[in-house]
Amino acid sequence: MTGPELRRTLDLSDAVAVGLSAMIGAGVFVAFGPAAAAAGSALLLGLAIAALLAYCNASSSARLAALYPQSGGTYVYGRMRLGPFWGHLAGWSFVVGKSASCAAMALTVGHYAWPAHAHAVAAATVVVLTGLNVAGVERSARVARVIVALVLAVLLAVVIVAFSSGDADPSRVFDGAGSGPFGVLQAAGLLFFAFAGYARIATLGEEVRDPERTLPRAIFTALAVALVVYALVGVALLAVLGPAGLAASAAPVADAARAAGFPVAVVTVTACVAAVGSLLALLLGVSRTTLAMARDGHLPRPLAAVDERRRVPVTAELAVGAVVTVVAAVADLGAAIGFSSFAVLVYYAVANASAWTLDATVRSRIVPAVGLAGCVLVALSLPAGSVATGIVVLVVGALSFAVTRSSNRSGTAP
């Protein structure tokens, strides 16, 4: 690694805030509807499966992040433990898949804030947040903390009002409705997408203080808080709307708030703020992985530039922001989410495979084995279009590895 390193300014609370702002974002406002459509009231079982998979991935990520506290996350872990190709594939999956996810978060802001001009609002949101990230990660971490506090407060208020309202019926939570094991797996895949934010913490490994202690604690703290929040919200939505009503809702938290007598405008504003928080953290993570890949020659080397004064990867930030702005201006929200889900599961599969190599004992390999198998199974449960598109993108990533490796061997920077 050459050039100036990033500045270590983030403490435990900052790292937890960044992770929570990625997890407790737009997903909590939109994911439960499709999950109910796939599994009915059995979506709670899907949530449990998603949480188990997230735990396995968090465990593997925490062990690896403590050993390799560098920017890049699983790109670094795969390269160090499995070889350059698998690191490249993980980094490629993350950058491409999470760029699509960034666009999805921006489009969520657009659809809530100004539906008639959703794409224009989405593109403008990306431009503004890219400027914030370029100004320095410290400011971004502070904003993430404020967003997390606001979203958690509103969600807690909605849950309390929902449970205490006359529209809540506990029998709807476990009414036995569902669509079988495949539907539960689909629900798990949709809900896991909302859990995936803890990886943002690992990608900030070069910017946290005492990373060997901070990274594992931040990952597990953020994951535990997110799980409690999602469980409470899921039960509240089922109790108020029922499985059928939840499945038919495009904005289930807002519909539940309306039925329970909670101000819908507050939920709408909060959903936009939450999506901004997710996008803020995602842009940070994608740019850091881009930086790590550029340092190793798997992406154009100018992307590895770090600003001498602010110690942030300005070129990578601007490049990622530009790509996401274009995608947000033209992409369909559903297509962006479906493609991103497949890519992020491939990313975590590489993380678990990397953690498998850390220790030869059977006990230490149970968690990464479950995580690896779960990632593959849930990825294959996604819609056929998402799987097919994801496979094509992985093939392109493999070809790009061959090209960049040949260029590096010949001494020509990609």
Side-chain angles (χ1 to χ4, degrees):
M1 180 176 66
T2 59
E5 297 183 3
L6 303 179
R7 183 181 298 159
R8 295 192 183 278
T9 58
L10 304 182
D11 58 18
L12 175 62
S13 61
D14 291 327
V16 170
V18 169
L20 282 176
S21 69
M23 282 186 282
I24 305 178
V28 73
F29 293 94
V30 297
F32 283 102
S41 62
L43 73 85
L44 293 177
L45 179 57
L47 179 64
I49 294 173
L52 173 63
L53 187 55
Y55 169 80
C56 293
N57 294 340
S59 178
S60 295
S61 296
R63 293 176 64 195
L64 291 161
L67 188 61
Y68 304 105
Q70 306 170 31
S71 285
T74 301
Y75 163 70
V76 174
Y77 315 150
R79 179 168 54 84
M80 300 300 292
R81 305 303 306 185
L82 303 176
F85 172 76
W86 294 106
H88 174 88
L89 194 66
W92 177 268
S93 298
F94 184 88
V95 170
V96 176
K98 286 305 181 180
S99 293
S101 186
C102 286
M105 297 301 98
L107 285 166
T108 301
V109 177
H111 282 293
Y112 269 90
W114 198 358
H117 300 280
H119 287 86
V121 173
T125 301
V126 176
V127 171
V128 171
L129 293 186
T130 297
L132 178 61
N133 284 338
V134 168
V137 70
E138 299 95 335
R139 188 176 305 174
S140 296
R142 295 190 193 105
V143 172
R145 184 180 297 190
V146 172
I147 291 173
V148 167
L150 173 63
V151 174
L152 287 177
V154 172
L155 287 175
L156 180 60
V158 171
V159 168
I160 292 174
V161 172
F163 282 143
S164 60
S165 73
D167 290 278
D169 183 355
S171 66
R172 296 171 180 163
V173 178
F174 303 103
D175 69 352
S179 58
F182 188 74
V184 172
L185 286 177
Q186 283 188 326
L190 291 166
L191 294 170
F192 173 77
F193 176 79
F195 274 113
Y198 54 77
R200 304 299 79 70
I201 302 172
T203 60
L204 297 176
E206 199 173 317
E207 296 164 86
V208 298
R209 303 168 189 157
D210 191 13
E212 290 78 7
R213 283 175 49 83
T214 301
L215 289 175
R217 293 171 62 194
I219 288 172
F220 287 115
T221 300
L223 177 60
V225 173
L227 174 57
V228 171
V229 171
Y230 268 70
L232 288 174
V233 171
V235 172
L237 293 179
L238 284 171
V240 173
L241 300 177
L246 181 55
S249 175
V253 179
D255 288 343
R258 184 179 295 106
F262 189 87
V264 177
V266 174
V267 174
T268 300
V269 172
T270 303
C272 292
V273 173
V276 167
S278 295
L279 178 56
L280 185 67
L282 284 172
L283 287 171
L284 281 171
V286 174
S287 65
R288 269 55 181 180
T289 301
T290 300
L291 166 71
M293 295 183 71
R295 282 172 170 172
D296 296 329
H298 293 301
L299 287 176
R301 293 202 186 272
L303 294 173
V306 175
D307 182 84
E308 294 281 354
R309 180 172 62 87
R310 286 168 291 183
R311 296 295 179 91
V312 295
V314 174
T315 306
E317 295 271 18
L318 293 175
V320 170
V323 171
V324 175
T325 299
V326 172
V327 176
V330 300
D332 174 75
L333 176 59
I337 291 176
F339 168 73
S340 180
S341 296
F342 182 89
V344 76
L345 286 164
V346 172
Y347 175 84
Y348 289 126
V350 175
N352 283 293
S354 300
W356 170 275
T357 69
L358 292 178
D359 197 323
T361 63
V362 173
R363 182 176 180 180
S364 65
R365 285 182 165 178
I366 292 177
V367 169
V370 172
L372 176 58
C375 285
V376 173
L377 183 62
V378 173
L380 294 178
S381 74
L382 291 169
S386 297
V387 175
T389 302
I391 290 174
V392 170
V393 170
L394 290 181
V395 171
V396 173
L399 293 175
S400 73
F401 173 78
V403 171
T404 56
R405 189 176 188 183
S406 176
S407 298
N408 291 334
R409 282 179 172 177
S410 65
T412 303

